[in-house]
């Protein structure tokens, strides 16, 4: 494991400044980033602790009906929240199906959508694959049972997040704060394909922090559901997942189906 320092910044601006420095990495629940660090897959000078930042906390259903999820809200809080279960069902179900109770009590909304792929070549510290800056995606001629079957290339990873398909199906946007100020981006556009850059899965820039995820109010006749199939029934990442959002009581006015 790399030696590293943990810095707890006093405010959001200091956190962003620290993260703009080369070698510093954010951590929220720490579930993925500490794992990657232990395996020396990411090396960093310092871990910047986002957990105490007030702008990143809290769940709120606004008077408009929009849902605001602070980036450091835990998966267990999302899964158990009565209003999310009722109005944003697919999101509560996706959070509740992720991992184990212990991990859901640590893992956060921001960390879940930013977790790195589970590809065993990427996770193997002895393999310098395309995703780590090498020149070969070993899944093509290798063990690729859990890799992309739709599209893919030049790297064939799949994204492991449970929350991402549910949030995309419900048209969620992320609010991002960084050195250039604040921006908002639909999650559908936030995630990027390996064709853009095989080393990355999203468009977050150095120094940028996701502060919140906003989900627009669903209509009174909207229903949503998240389902996944996994190999190990106790806990596991999904082999396949689907989030479906339908608007309309008798006639379907709008339907969104997002697969993971
Ligand atoms: C055994 C096991 C089973 C699992 N099963 C599932 C599963 O079924 N489904 C599933 O979805 N996940 C699963 N996971 C993964 C787990 O849910 C994620 O690792 C966890 O949610 C990550 O959240 P975190 O807050 O701990 O992120 P961290 O590890 O703290 O961070 C993850 C990444 O996000 C960055 N980051 C975190 N927050 C922010 C922010 N606000 N702004 C900018 N960058 C940020 C960090 O720099 C890091 O790169 C499993 C994990 C394990 C160990």
């Amino acid at each position: 494991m790399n030696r590293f320092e943990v810095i707890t910044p006093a405010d959001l601006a200091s956190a962003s400044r620290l993260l703009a420095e080369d070698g510093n990495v954010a951590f929220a629940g720490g579930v993925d980033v500490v794992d990657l660090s232990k395996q020396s897959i990411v090396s960093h000078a310092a871990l910047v602790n986002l957990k105490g930042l007030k702008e990143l906390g809290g769940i709120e259903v606004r008077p408009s009906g929009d849902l605001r999820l602070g980036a450091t809200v835990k998966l267990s809080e999302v899964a158990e929240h009565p209003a999310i279960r009722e109005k944003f069902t697919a999101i509560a179900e996706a959070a509740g199906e992720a991992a184990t109770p212990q991990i859901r009590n640590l893992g956060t909304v921001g960390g879940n959508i930013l977790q790195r792929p589970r590809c065993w070549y990427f996770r193997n510290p002895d393999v310098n694959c395309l995703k780590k800056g090498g020149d070969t995606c070993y899944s093509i001629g290798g063990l690729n049972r859990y890799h992309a079957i739709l599209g893919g290339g030049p790297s064939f990873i799949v994204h492991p997040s449970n929350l991402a398909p549910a949030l995309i199906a419900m048209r969620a946007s992320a609010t991002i704060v960084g050195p250039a100020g604040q921006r908002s981006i639909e999650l559908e556009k936030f995630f990027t394909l390996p064709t853009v850059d095989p080393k990355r899965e999203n468009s977050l820039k150095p120094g940028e922090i996701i502060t919140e995820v906003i989900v627009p109010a669903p209509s009174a006749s909207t229903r949503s559901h998240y389902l996944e199939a996994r190999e190990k029934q106790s806990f596991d990442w999904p082999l396949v997942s689907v989030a479906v959002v339908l608007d309309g009581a008798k006639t379907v006015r709008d339907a969104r189906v997002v697969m993971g």
Side-chain angles (χ1 to χ4, degrees):
M1 183 153 175
N2 307 307
R3 289 180 66 80
F4 61 85
E5 190 187 353
V6 175
I7 305 176
T8 301
D11 52 43
L12 187 56
S14 323
S16 169
R17 261 196 311 278
L18 284 162
L19 288 170
E21 286 172 25
D22 217 19
N24 290 344
V25 172
F27 97 98
V31 179
D32 196 37
V33 85
V34 173
D35 221 12
L36 290 165
S37 171
K38 277 197 219 159
Q39 293 165 308
S40 303
I41 292 160
V42 293
S43 54
H44 38 76
L47 284 181
V48 179
N49 180 6
L50 303 180
K51 275 183 297 193
L53 300 173
K54 61 177 187 323
E55 295 87 341
L56 274 63
I59 297 178
E60 184 195 357
V61 181
R62 293 174 168 163
S64 62
D66 291 358
L67 170 67
R68 176 191 177 275
L69 295 172
T72 53
V73 163
K74 293 179 184 143
L75 298 179
S76 55
E77 296 175 87
V78 176
E80 288 156 19
H81 195 281
I84 303 180
R85 288 165 69 102
E86 188 192 334
K87 303 264 185 214
F88 304 86
T89 313
I91 296 172
E93 289 173 336
E97 290 277 325
T100 63
Q102 290 92 333
I103 292 167
R104 293 196 291 275
N105 280 330
L106 269 179
T108 62
V109 168
N112 186 269
I113 61 182
L114 293 168
Q115 63 178 300
R116 305 302 310 277
R118 304 304 306 178
C119 169
W120 38 46
Y121 296 107
F122 171 67
R123 295 262 164 181
N124 183 333
D126 298 326
V127 175
N128 186 30
C129 68
L130 189 64
K131 196 151 207 31
K132 287 188 278 191
D135 54 15
T136 306
C137 174
Y138 293 99
S139 74
I140 298 166
L143 295 169
N144 52 26
R145 182 169 157 74
Y146 303 118
H147 289 72
I149 54 169
L150 301 173
S155 145
F156 286 82
I157 58 105
V158 286
H159 203 289
S161 167
N162 272 38
L163 274 185
L167 290 171
I168 292 171
M170 298 216 70
R171 301 181 191 277
S173 303
T175 308
I176 295 172
V177 168
Q182 182 172 312
R183 66 185 174 108
S184 168
I185 181 167
E186 289 166 42
L187 282 182
E188 188 170 345
K189 297 186 181 136
F190 173 72
F191 294 103
T192 53
L193 289 171
T195 43
V196 176
D197 179 354
K199 296 198 285 308
R200 301 182 49 88
E201 298 88 47
N202 58 63
S203 58
L204 204 68
K205 300 188 189 90
E208 285 194 328
I209 296 168
I210 297 184
T211 56
E212 61 187 15
V213 170
I214 303 290
V215 192
S219 73
S221 60
T222 294
R223 283 158 298 145
S224 68
H225 195 27
Y226 171 89
L227 279 174
E228 65 176 49
R230 52 187 180 233
E231 201 159 51
K232 198 163 48 177
Q233 295 311 307
S234 54
F235 66 90
D236 211 348
W237 284 268
L239 290 171
V240 288
S241 61
V242 62
V244 179
V245 182
L246 290 183
D247 178 8
K250 288 198 180 128
T251 310
V252 173
R253 276 193 294 270
D254 187 27
R256 305 227 333 148
V257 179
V258 179
M259 294 170 73

